[in-house]
Amino acid sequence: MKVSQTAVGQVLADQTGRTLYAFTKDKDKPAACDADCVAVWPVMAGKAAAGDGVTASLLGEAKESDSLTQVTYKGWPLYYYVGDSVPGDVNGTGIDTAWFPLSPDGSLLKTQP
C-alpha cells in the first residue's frame, strides 16, 4: 500500500494507485458488506505491505472466510470501488453516506471531490 494524492487529499491506495475505501458499518468488526455489496465494492484481499506514507502498525487482517483474508487499516476493512477507473479516482466518496477513502492516519475523508 501507499499514499496517493487525489481530489479529496492524500488517501490510502494499493501499489497501482487505486483508492481504498472504508464502509462506516464495518468499524472494528467483521465486514458488513454482503455478496451484492462486494460486487460493487470488491475487498482488498491478501497481505499488504506498508509503502511510503503508510504506517505499518496500522495494517492488519480480518478473516472473512476460510479462503478470504481482507486487509484492514486502523481496524477498517478495505475495499475498492468498481466506479473508479484510473489510479487516483475517488468516485466512491460519500456513496450512501457510508463509503469514504481513508487518510494515511486511518481517518475517513468525507470531503467531496
Side-chain angles (χ1 to χ4, degrees):
M1 290 176 45
K2 65 181 184 176
V3 173
S4 183
Q5 186 63 41
T6 70
V8 298
Q10 290 189 325
V11 302
L12 293 180
D14 71 4
Q15 69 277 9
T16 67
R18 287 193 60 206
T19 300
L20 297 165
Y21 295 87
F23 185 33
T24 58
K25 296 178 182 178
D26 277 353
K27 182 63 176 153
D28 293 324
K29 61 184 172 200
C33 192
D34 63 19
D36 290 337
C37 172
V38 169
V40 178
W41 298 94
V43 303
M44 181 184 198
K47 294 200 178 281
D52 289 341
V54 176
T55 304
S57 63
L58 297 180
L59 278 171
E61 298 175 348
K63 199 74 155 157
E64 297 306 323
S65 68
D66 290 337
S67 62
L68 178 68
T69 300
Q70 187 170 6
V71 177
T72 65
Y73 195 78
K74 199 175 180 183
W76 292 104
L78 300 177
Y79 300 87
Y80 296 100
Y81 176 53
V82 297
D84 287 347
S85 57
V86 297
D89 275 357
V90 286
N91 298 320
T93 304
I95 290 182
D96 297 330
T97 63
W99 294 94
F100 300 97
L102 286 171
S103 71
D105 69 3
S107 61
L108 300 176
L109 287 170
K110 295 186 175 183
T111 303
Q112 293 297 311

